[in-house]
Amino acid sequence: METNESSYVPSPDVHGKRSTAPVKSLSSDPTEKPTYIRFLVSNPLAGAVIGKGGSTINDFQSQSGARIQLSRSHEFFPGTTDRIIMISGTIDEILRAVDLVIDKLLTELHAEDQADDVGTKTKLRLIVPNSSCGSIIGKAGATIKSFMDDSQAVIKISRLDHSYYGLNDRLVTLTGTLDEQMRALELILLKLSEDTLYSQTMTVPYTYAGVFFSGFHGMPYGAVPPPVPAVPHNTAAHYGPNMGGRKFQNNKDDRTNSLTIGVADEHIGFVVGRGGRNIMEISQISGARIKVSDRGDFFSGTSERKVTISGPQRSIRTAESMIMQKVAYASDRLMD
């Protein structure tokens, strides 16, 4: 994983002039469901995106219609000193917001030497869940090659770095001019929007060791999102191979909040880990108590083991999201 370069850095290569035409999505459906994209920005440049008192980021949200959030000044993507920007909305709204953000970054990068930033080759590093990278790559790399041919941007996907506990994301680096990057981003977003698992990760908090983004709290500029619903008292949910979210009341009377998750038997080993290491780490990081049912003890009519999480609501949500990431990783491994 690249750690010695800025998340958005100009290279000496300059080709052509940037088009002034607005970027348009291939989809014109006004009812397009919301999606999101996350990418890295160096900590010093993050202030330029925010602006004094949040003025710049509020302006970008107003112009684009998208919601823009940043991780806090001490919350970095593992292995880097770069903060995380999350932009959510329709594909058109996201593309408008990203265009505004990157244009602002280019302006800041070239402000001191007054260089012409039009056509400058830069690197934009997207954060994509490991489980969704396959759709970008395609069979034998056909999809990613077609994206590069179409956009003229160079697209590279990092390997999953197992050095950081809880890291189930990979970096997708787009190298090119702003126009080339925006076209590549558009193609990637359109492909990710077809991935149902990707849409489910929009509200999953980060669980990197040492970093906790609760529903990506970051810096709450602009419209305040709907509150995250509290975990119901003593409920149960199933996360089988299709990551379904069926919930049932648990009749057990307990004074603490609890959530029972059904995890497919073939995935439970990835959740527990060798010698119980994974589940102990999840418990330690989240602060929740986690209990896995014995072998053969399934939810009625399924082959899903019972994983009961109890504790404060925030701890339950954190543990649940970490377990979901393990299940997604297991599904990806078993499909390989």
Side-chain angles (χ1 to χ4, degrees):
M1 184 176 292
E2 300 167 292
T3 58
N4 59 347
E5 62 181 43
S6 172
S7 56
Y8 202 84
V9 185
S11 76
D13 300 323
V14 178
H15 299 285
K17 292 289 181 179
R18 179 190 170 202
S19 169
T20 56
V23 179
K24 292 185 178 180
S25 168
L26 296 178
S27 172
S28 58
D29 183 4
T31 63
E32 183 181 21
K33 67 179 181 180
T35 186
Y36 76 99
I37 197 69
R38 293 165 175 156
F39 59 95
L40 303 184
V41 62
S42 65
N43 201 23
L45 287 175
V49 177
I50 297 168
K52 188 174 182 180
S55 58
T56 302
I57 202 168
N58 278 326
D59 183 47
F60 288 172
Q61 290 185 128
S62 177
Q63 290 186 54
S64 66
R67 184 166 188 248
I68 306 173
Q69 296 166 279
L70 280 84
S71 63
R72 293 171 182 162
S73 58
H74 62 282
E75 295 175 328
F76 305 132
F77 186 82
T80 75
T81 55
D82 298 323
R83 290 165 69 177
I84 302 167
I85 293 182
M86 175 175 171
I87 300 180
S88 55
T90 66
I91 291 178
D92 285 334
E93 290 169 344
I94 291 172
L95 291 172
R96 285 195 293 268
V98 173
D99 185 66
L100 290 167
V101 169
I102 295 178
D103 191 50
K104 179 65 174 178
L105 294 174
L106 285 171
T107 300
E108 291 298 315
L109 284 168
H110 296 275
E112 292 185 3
D113 56 13
Q114 296 183 339
D116 183 3
D117 62 3
V118 178
T120 300
K121 295 281 186 177
T122 57
K123 290 184 178 181
L124 175 65
R125 291 196 284 176
L126 311 178
I127 303 170
V128 178
N130 181 53
S131 57
S132 298
C133 286
S135 63
I136 299 174
I137 297 170
K139 188 174 182 179
T143 303
I144 195 171
K145 184 179 184 302
S146 70
F147 287 177
M148 287 193 285
D149 290 342
D150 186 319
S151 67
Q152 296 301 301
V154 176
I155 306 173
K156 293 184 178 180
I157 302 180
S158 70
R159 293 183 177 181
L160 185 63
D161 192 339
H162 296 285
S163 303
Y164 300 91
Y165 176 74
L167 178 59
N168 289 299
D169 295 319
R170 294 161 73 177
L171 294 179
V172 178
T173 303
L174 314 180
T175 303
T177 64
L178 178 53
D179 279 347
E180 291 167 349
Q181 288 176 338
M182 292 303 300
R183 177 56 181 166
L185 177 61
E186 177 182 12
L187 293 168
I188 289 171
L189 267 174
L190 287 166
K191 177 59 68 173
L192 289 175
S193 68
E194 301 170 359
D195 184 346
T196 55
L197 187 58
Y198 181 77
S199 63
Q200 291 175 2
T201 63
M202 183 161 61
T203 56
V204 174
Y206 284 98
T207 51
Y208 309 143
V211 180
F212 180 76
F213 295 81
S214 177
F216 203 92
H217 50 228
M219 306 187 72
Y221 295 107
V224 177
V228 177
V231 177
H233 180 73
N234 293 335
T235 60
H238 292 255
Y239 291 100
N242 62 355
M243 297 291 288
R246 299 164 294 160
K247 293 195 174 184
F248 304 92
Q249 285 296 326
N250 186 336
N251 293 326
K252 182 179 178 180
D253 186 17
D254 195 326
R255 294 183 63 185
T256 63
N257 290 319
S258 68
L259 179 71
T260 301
I261 300 173
V263 176
D265 195 41
E266 64 266 30
H267 296 160
I268 203 69
F270 290 86
V271 174
V272 175
R274 181 173 296 180
R277 176 184 175 185
N278 289 354
I279 207 159
M280 285 189 292
E281 288 182 322
I282 293 173
S283 180
Q284 182 179 16
I285 292 172
S286 67
R289 297 183 299 279
I290 306 170
K291 181 181 179 181
V292 179
S293 65
D294 296 332
R295 288 184 180 179
D297 184 5
F298 303 133
F299 276 103
S300 179
T302 75
S303 60
E304 297 172 0
R305 299 271 289 276
K306 304 171 185 175
V307 180
T308 301
I309 311 167
S310 58
Q313 291 178 355
R314 172 169 170 167
S315 297
I316 292 174
R317 287 196 298 269
T318 304
E320 182 188 10
S321 68
M322 295 177 75
I323 291 171
M324 287 174 64
Q325 287 183 340
K326 288 294 182 185
V327 171
Y329 174 69
S331 299
D332 188 57
R333 285 287 300 275
L334 293 174
M335 286 189 296
D336 288 342

